Amino acid sequence: MSLSRKLCAVVLAAVLGAGLLAACAPPEGSESALTWQACAEDAGFECARLSVPIDWSEPGGVRIDLAVVRDRADAAGGPVGTLISLPGGPGSSGVDQIIDGTPGFSPELRERFDIVSIDPRGVRRSSPVRCDRGLAFGRPNLVPDAGGRFELVRAYAEELAASCREQTGPLLDHLDAESTARDLEALRIALGERQISLYSRSYGTMPAQRYAELFPQRLRASLLDSVDDHSLGGAEFLATEARAGQDTFAEFVSWCDRDERCVLRGSDLHGSYGELFAAAIRGELRAVSGAPLAPLDLSSAVTQRLYGPQWEELAKDLQALSAQPRGGAALPTQPRRTGEVVEFPGVILCSDWVFDIADQAQWQRLWRAQRDNARTLGAHFAWGAGSLCAGWPVAPKNPPHRPSIENGPPILILNSRHDPATPHEWAVQVAAQTPRAALLTYAGWGHGIYNRSACTMSAADRYLVDLRLPVSDTCPAENR
């Protein structure tokens, strides 16, 4: 950006608001204001830096640089436009994903679009959140049934936040999805595009939804893949996640009962897993390495296997755990600082969600609901995040709310029927609350749907390239 445009942006935003930054943009369709160079990781891609304010309400204040990557369209006649891919997490690197090919975009999309992504603020190359290693990698006792105390969870969250602030600075107060949405608008302006198309997955759908609220007429298309429902309160968030975990575990059990590839076929999986979870609560469960395995570590490891899903591997994991000798009780201790510093972007979640937990009694009531909703699984990994965020001392800058979008484009939502992380019921509700939204359900399993099958990829491509929503609302499941 030239000096004159920088001055224009600062003055207009300070006087009239950040929404008028478009007045300082290069002419639509002009060359990008970014300085592109071959990426150090792979010269086949272009990389640049985008300067944005830490606090969008103070555009003349301290700034950070965001890492940007571009995969240029292969079409000789020029691209349809720019497709910005927003990574999930929170904490995933969009730069890494584009260079590694993680989104799995079709040859048609790569031919027709300049595909751009970022490391969102607080992630990897974009001023990463840094915290004390001992606090970041440690966990207090998060399980009331195992003697967990909410006052100690709150004390841990406050100490973790203090260490993050010491290492990260004021950015810790501005990690929310709205700030990222405003970063996207700054990126659109720097690219010289009149409108952008968005592809977002999982937590990336948070800034994508906020962008549609703030800048609807700058949005050509938005595909929300495995969508977060940001209208939920904390108790609903935890309950729906627990139900999704239980549902996807039950699907694994059903597969194991009928498929000879399952090494646990014919066994009582609900019962045997319940025994593992009970042993973890008592502090007796050991990983194959011999290290203690806490209840949430067990359920989180299982849930991660359900993302793919990786059912064969999960069956082998559970078989190995069941064969491990039980150890003496080893319950979690309160984490302590080590003085080492690590990147820890997972705390970004606390900038967008509210978990109002007042005391031990309320925490225990929510835990009982967690156990009721995840009858076999025991708990969802969201329980740990919700407990941490309930004690987080930084108020969310982008609290949950129903979407309010006026004059935006049609929006396509993709979700699997059995998703362990972003429940199908979230997608149904987001579609109902979002004007001109259509939901395409993959009638199968897993998290991340775009390249799940020929049906999902074709529907997504036709929407992104031709702005044509799918006629059918369902894609059949691939055989498992």
Side-chain angles (χ1 to χ4, degrees):
M1 183 182 286
S2 69
L3 178 60
S4 62
R5 280 207 302 274
K6 285 182 180 177
L7 290 173
C8 171
V10 170
V11 172
L12 268 183
V15 176
L16 300 174
L20 292 182
L21 283 175
C24 306
E28 291 170 356
S30 69
E31 286 296 310
S32 167
L34 297 166
T35 300
W36 296 101
Q37 297 179 329
C39 295
E41 298 86 349
D42 188 325
F45 300 86
E46 297 175 322
C47 285
R49 308 289 295 181
L50 174 69
S51 176
V52 297
I54 286 179
D55 183 353
W56 273 104
S57 70
E58 297 182 6
V62 179
R63 303 178 76 84
I64 58 172
D65 284 346
L66 303 182
V68 186
V69 67
R70 179 168 66 180
D71 182 11
R72 295 299 296 265
D74 298 328
V80 171
T82 293
L83 174 65
I84 297 179
S85 176
L86 296 176
S92 297
S93 162
V95 174
D96 288 346
Q97 288 185 356
I98 295 303
I99 291 175
D100 296 342
T102 300
F105 291 130
S106 68
E108 180 181 11
L109 283 194
R110 295 190 63 191
E111 179 180 278
R112 302 296 300 277
F113 285 96
D114 285 344
I115 298 177
V116 173
S117 192
I118 60 172
D119 283 358
R121 53 174 56 213
V123 176
R124 289 280 279 127
R125 305 165 185 83
S126 299
S127 298
V129 175
R130 299 180 188 274
C131 311
D132 181 87
R133 181 185 183 90
L135 298 174
F137 290 164
R139 287 290 183 276
N141 189 339
L142 293 167
V143 178
D145 288 350
R149 303 296 300 173
F150 184 66
E151 65 209 44
L152 295 179
V153 175
R154 184 183 294 278
Y156 162 76
E158 291 173 350
E159 182 70 7
L160 174 63
S163 83
C164 298
R165 185 173 299 283
E166 291 165 10
Q167 302 300 329
T168 307
L171 180 60
L172 193 69
D173 297 324
H174 303 281
L175 297 168
D176 55 283
E178 178 170 328
S179 293
T180 299
R182 294 190 182 278
D183 293 343
L184 290 177
E185 177 62 359
L187 178 59
R188 181 196 67 79
I189 292 167
L191 290 168
E193 294 281 8
R194 185 180 68 86
Q195 291 184 314
I196 53 174
S197 300
L198 294 180
Y199 169 81
S200 56
R201 179 178 293 197
S202 195
Y203 208 83
T205 64
M206 295 279 285
Q209 292 177 79
R210 194 70 182 113
Y211 188 89
E213 292 183 278
L214 295 170
F215 309 105
Q217 294 184 309
R218 294 301 184 182
L219 194 56
R220 174 184 170 272
S222 182
L223 194 160
L224 307 172
D225 185 346
S226 305
V227 67
D228 278 34
D229 180 2
H230 199 220
S231 71
L232 297 175
E236 294 172 291
F237 178 94
L238 293 173
T240 51
E241 287 280 59
R243 287 198 292 270
Q246 180 65 27
D247 167 71
T248 49
F249 187 83
E251 289 294 305
F252 157 67
V253 173
S254 177
W255 166 83
C256 192
D257 286 344
R258 67 177 184 269
D259 197 303
E260 62 184 14
R261 291 174 295 174
C262 181
V263 296
L264 297 175
R265 187 182 183 193
S267 64
D268 176 13
L269 263 173
H270 287 288
S272 61
Y273 177 84
E275 291 174 4
L276 291 174
F277 196 80
I281 287 178
R282 295 192 301 271
E284 299 172 359
L285 188 64
R286 296 292 183 269
V288 175
S289 65
L293 197 61
L296 288 186
D297 293 335
L298 171 63
S299 61
S300 295
V302 169
T303 306
Q304 288 297 320
R305 287 293 198 193
L306 298 172
Y307 270 51
Q310 298 172 311
W311 286 336
E312 289 181 65
E313 293 84 353
L314 176 54
K316 293 173 184 176
D317 291 346
L318 296 178
Q319 183 185 53
L321 281 176
S322 296
Q324 283 291 106
R326 302 287 187 261
L331 297 176
T333 58
Q334 197 73 354
R336 298 179 181 275
R337 292 193 185 218
T338 62
E340 300 175 80
V341 178
V342 294
E343 295 181 11
F344 193 55
V347 298
I348 290 172
L349 181 121
C350 298
S351 299
D352 292 303
W353 293 96
V354 175
F355 298 90
D356 289 322
I357 302 176
D359 53 28
Q360 181 76 17
Q362 185 181 5
W363 194 48
Q364 287 180 309
R365 286 195 298 272
L366 289 170
W367 174 252
R368 287 195 294 272
Q370 186 78 183
R371 295 301 308 271
D372 288 343
N373 282 297
R375 294 179 305 280
T376 303
L377 188 63
H380 193 276
F381 61 73
W383 172 259
S387 297
L388 168 66
C389 291
W392 195 249
V394 181
K397 291 293 179 68
N398 179 45
H401 60 277
R402 289 174 63 98
S404 177
I405 303 171
E406 296 182 5
N407 302 316
I411 290 174
L412 178 59
I413 300 168
L414 303 182
N415 225 91
S416 74
R417 180 75 65 188
H418 306 287
D419 187 319
T422 54
H424 188 260
E425 62 182 292
W426 286 7
V428 171
Q429 183 150 294
V430 172
Q433 294 177 350
T434 303
R436 306 180 70 191
L439 170 60
L440 178 66
T441 296
Y442 172 67
W445 312 268
H447 183 62
I449 299 307
Y450 167 76
N451 57 349
R452 193 60 62 166
S453 70
C455 176
T456 57
M457 182 177 286
S458 175
D461 285 0
R462 295 284 55 79
Y463 168 69
L464 290 171
V465 175
D466 303 326
L467 300 180
R468 195 166 72 232
L469 291 171
V471 176
S472 173
D473 61 1
T474 304
C475 279
E478 299 281 285
N479 291 329
R480 292 291 308 175

